[in-house]
Amino acid sequence: MESVEQPMIAEFPESLQNREMIVKVSHVTRIYELGASRVTALRDISLEIPKGVLVALKGRSGSGKTTLLNMIGGLDTPTQGEVELFGIRLSQLDDEAKTELRRQRLGFVFQSFAILPVFSAIENVELMLRIANIQTDRRKLAMRALEIVGLGSWAHHRPWELSGGQQQRVAIARALATRPELIIADEPTGELDSTTGRQIMALFRFIAVKEGITVLMATHDPLIEEYAHMVVDLMDGQIRSIRFPNL
Ligand code: ADP
Ligand code: MG
């Protein structure tokens, strides 16, 4: 494959120029080796993400979205290049330190919700606080997170009593409750109808603006153009463009 010229670090609009950059990806390449074959999932990606915005990572299936999210979340390691989170080079951390960084400063949301059916909404959120080793006020913190996502009155319901959109809100509350600096969401609207998907995108935008939490979400849903502050278009493992549609 020919290497196309990639845009350099985006020319940020004025409103973002003095923001702290909480993610810095520098010349990241990820090659998967499968027996004799090699798949270049990411090719020389460089990207900076400012605090408190909703960022969409767009691109068709196979363009490298999940691979890039895994690099930024410290779940996988670049073949070449470096990822910095909050000014920390991930290559300097061992696995244990990366796990701790994830628990304390990141939140994750997946397409499949991944909430536990035996627990109520609030218990699902409290469990994450326990995993993050938060010792006090777990119930209060969990309730506040459920209120942010609009589920205050559903706290004691079990997942099967909730709609798909509500279940995804529980998953978002769980990611929010630890007060992370960055939420990473991989196709969080992939299993939702378009109206519910819109509500989730609007919620992520609200969380970014009102809570100051940066949200990085992968999606191929064109509706994201109406909600994201920053849109990064991936194609064949490269950044094709970086745009700022709603600033
Ligand atoms: P997206 O999330 O945009 O659909 P992915 O990051 O999952 O894209 O995949 C990018 C490319 O890397 C694809 O060609 C995919 O087949 C390949 N790929 C992803 N994960 C692996 C893996 N674990 N082993 C080998 N190839 C992989
Ligand atoms: Mg994916």
Side-chain angles (χ1 to χ4, degrees):
M1 192 175 67
E2 276 291 298
S3 185
V4 299
E5 194 171 326
Q6 293 194 57
M8 288 308 289
I9 301 303
E11 290 267 321
F12 286 98
E14 212 175 328
S15 59
L16 292 182
Q17 274 174 9
N18 295 320
R19 292 264 181 122
E20 180 191 346
M21 296 291 156
I22 66 162
V23 177
K24 190 172 176 190
V25 176
S26 307
H27 300 290
V28 162
T29 293
R30 176 65 167 103
I31 299 170
Y32 293 110
E33 310 256 6
L34 289 167
S37 73
R38 287 153 63 90
V39 178
T40 303
L42 298 175
R43 186 185 296 258
D44 195 22
I45 295 274
S46 293
L47 177 66
E48 284 188 284
I49 296 177
K51 184 176 164 59
V53 291
L54 171 57
V55 183
L57 192 55
K58 268 184 85 181
R60 59 179 60 176
S61 184
S63 58
K65 301 183 297 297
T66 296
T67 303
L68 183 53
L69 293 186
N70 288 344
M71 297 293 144
I72 293 172
L75 297 163
D76 187 14
T77 309
T79 307
Q80 279 169 41
E82 179 71 72
V83 175
E84 271 178 50
L85 280 186
F86 325 119
I88 303 164
R89 287 163 160 253
L90 293 185
S91 63
Q92 293 183 330
L93 304 181
D94 60 19
D95 285 349
E96 202 179 326
K98 269 192 266 190
T99 302
E100 201 48 34
L101 178 79
R102 273 198 300 276
R103 284 183 182 162
Q104 302 299 334
R105 304 179 75 171
L106 303 185
F108 290 88
V109 176
F110 304 98
Q111 181 171 347
S112 58
F113 318 147
I115 54 176
L116 298 173
V118 295
F119 294 136
S120 66
I122 197 161
E123 286 166 347
N124 266 281
V125 179
E126 285 182 276
L127 179 65
M128 190 56 79
L129 292 166
R130 198 182 292 266
I131 290 169
N133 211 15
I134 290 167
Q135 307 289 354
T136 53
D137 288 336
R138 284 199 291 259
R139 181 122 301 209
K140 215 167 93 188
L141 289 167
M143 197 59 194
R144 180 169 183 273
L146 285 170
E147 279 163 0
I148 290 170
V149 304
L151 285 182
S153 54
W154 293 84
H156 300 288
H157 289 254
R158 299 285 169 95
W160 73 78
E161 299 172 306
L162 304 176
S163 68
Q166 288 175 321
Q167 290 182 45
Q168 190 57 301
R169 283 171 192 270
V170 174
I172 294 167
R174 187 179 54 184
L176 262 181
T178 56
R179 310 282 319 148
E181 289 151 86
L182 173 65
I183 290 178
I184 293 177
D186 197 355
E187 310 232 15
T189 63
E191 291 188 5
L192 304 174
D193 64 76
S194 65
T195 305
T196 311
R198 267 184 188 280
Q199 290 166 354
I200 295 296
M201 293 178 212
L203 173 60
F204 275 135
R205 185 182 168 90
F206 174 85
I207 287 167
V209 172
K210 290 291 193 290
E211 300 289 313
I213 297 173
T214 306
V215 181
L216 172 60
M217 72 173 267
T219 184
H220 49 250
D221 189 335
L223 289 173
I224 194 63
E225 299 287 338
E226 296 174 34
Y227 297 93
H229 300 104
M230 174 171 168
V231 177
V232 179
D233 266 303
L234 272 188
M235 194 172 80
D236 299 332
Q238 294 189 298
I239 294 175
R240 204 172 58 151
S241 69
I242 298 176
R243 292 171 291 114
F244 299 90
N246 299 295
L247 277 169

